[in-house]
Amino acid sequence: MNYTEQLENLQRRVDDTVDEVRLAAAEDHEQLAARIDKNQNDVQSMLNQGRDRLDQVSSQLDSTWDQVKADASAKMSDVKAKMEQRRKERNAEAATSDAEWAEADAASAIDLATWAADNARLLVLDALDARKYADDLTELAAQHR
């Protein structure tokens, strides 16, 4: 498995996200709505691809990824519902409260992504170590034959 390539792809996605957030910060509500719709479609497509890959290797994985996918799908639906409700909102105090909740959700998502990156680092290092150890034992066994 090419972990370096996967991590470089992740880095590009993070860089693209930073660029997109910079652009989005200057957009109006309608432009943001269109951007959110596009991103939700992209995430759904990615979840579908992930589901296909999981089906291929499901015997090797536990239910954690299934839960992550379900949580992501539910979060996407929740964001869309909140956005639609927000468009109907005419109360400034309620809109401010909604904005604060959305900002807190965004901060939590960044925290989760940070944890995921840290966890991925640890798991990649563990996988590299496990492969190295297995290779060393295989080599040692071959020497004793």
Side-chain angles (χ1 to χ4, degrees), residues 8-27 32 35-36 38-40 42-43 46 106-107 109-111 113-114:
E8 287 170 346
N9 288 338
L10 175 60
Q11 181 63 52
R12 279 191 291 280
R13 293 182 72 81
V14 170
D15 291 344
D16 289 347
T17 299
V18 169
D19 292 343
E20 186 168 1
V21 167
R22 284 187 179 129
L23 291 172
E27 293 179 341
L32 286 169
R35 187 180 293 273
I36 289 168
K38 180 194 176 303
N39 277 278
Q40 285 180 324
D42 291 349
V43 168
M46 195 172 67
I110 291 170
D111 288 345
T114 300

Side-chain angles (χ1 to χ4, degrees), residues 48-72:
N48 291 342
Q49 290 171 3
R51 184 177 305 118
D52 293 343
R53 283 192 302 266
L54 271 180
D55 289 343
Q56 295 172 357
V57 294
S58 62
S59 63
Q60 299 172 4
L61 299 173
D62 60 22
S63 63
T64 303
W65 180 241
D66 289 333
Q67 184 61 47
V68 168
K69 288 189 323 182
D71 290 348

